Amino acid sequence: AQSVTQLDSQVPVFEEAPVELRCNYSSSVSVYLFWYVQYPNQGLQLLLKYLSGSTLVKGINGFEAEFNKSQTSFHLRKPSVHISDTAEYFCAVSGGSQGNLIFGKGTKLSVKP
Amino acid sequence: ETGVTQTPRHLVMGMTNKKSLKCEQHLGHNAMYWYKQSAKKPLELMFVYNFKEQTENNSVPSRFSPECPNSSHLFLHLHTLQPEDSALYLCASSQEGTGGLDTQYFGPGTRLTVL
């Protein structure tokens, strides 16, 4: 069985500061990893995903994440955040074509001026 | 209209009411999903339909009844709900029901309140 832990429920940060949202997973099989973002009053939108290949994945809006198999982590980073990045971010894992997405509880990123 | 749409956006119902949530996708996808999003809990997958066939029922109570008449439309019929069923119900679609390999596209959700 797979599970996802997002270590921080809320992350406040000032505009133009760097941010890291942490995600750890557990799985007994090869995994595929995802970050989704949910802006207020909207559905979820894919930010980026790791399926195979390079462990550093670049996504939309300047976000990137690094797959670390030894630490079972897939942390999301952005070097300089904007007010518009204020949203809730969800990490998710899948066991592949036979597995559905398993989501973490989410991290609310609040960017302050 | 593009993407995934859901109606209504907000719904308040009593425990004895019967209502339906509607989802429509305009992406030409073959798989559709219902998720429940409750405060402080992970997104819970409820149902998966692949080419109109239900391929997943994640131990959802029978007071939730899904219907998928075609690949573009998905309904969630509600009856005799409980207050703990109050949540945001999200619909999603993907090209095929290959689980996490396919990018899922989400609608804005229906905010359901059960009194």
Side-chain angles (χ1 to χ4, degrees), chain A residues 15-74:
Chain A
E15 193 174 19
E16 297 183 9
V19 70
E20 178 180 84
L21 306 183
R22 296 180 293 170
C23 173
N24 287 87
Y25 67 90
S26 66
S27 177
S28 58
V29 298
S30 296
V31 294
Y32 305 94
L33 295 155
F34 307 79
W35 276 100
Y36 279 82
V37 60
Q38 185 177 30
Y39 298 104
N41 300 313
Q42 295 186 30
L44 277 69
Q45 176 184 359
L46 181 68
L47 266 182
L48 49 81
K49 62 182 175 181
Y50 171 79
L51 300 182
S52 65
S54 172
T55 56
L56 183 62
V57 181
K58 293 189 183 298
I60 61 172
N61 301 339
F63 284 93
E64 63 180 32
E66 186 157 19
F67 171 54
N68 188 319
K69 188 174 182 179
S70 62
Q71 296 187 5
T72 60
S73 68
F74 191 54

Side-chain angles (χ1 to χ4, degrees), chain B residues 22-84:
Chain B
K22 179 183 176 182
C23 175
E24 185 173 0
Q25 58 95 1
H26 309 268
L27 301 168
H29 290 165
N30 295 304
M32 298 188 77
Y33 311 76
W34 278 118
Y35 287 90
K36 177 183 179 182
Q37 186 178 24
S38 305
K40 300 182 181 180
K41 293 177 68 175
L43 245 68
E44 300 172 59
L45 179 65
M46 300 175 72
F47 302 104
V48 181
Y49 277 82
N50 207 4
F51 293 91
K52 301 187 298 178
E53 298 295 322
Q54 188 180 117
T55 56
E56 185 96 15
N57 178 337
N58 212 14
S59 302
V60 179
S62 59
R63 56 185 183 269
F64 294 92
S65 175
E67 179 190 1
C68 188
N70 54 62
S71 294
S72 299
H73 294 85
L74 184 65
F75 296 89
L76 188 62
H77 303 300
L78 316 171
H79 65 97
T80 59
L81 294 192
Q82 304 299 311
E84 60 265 29

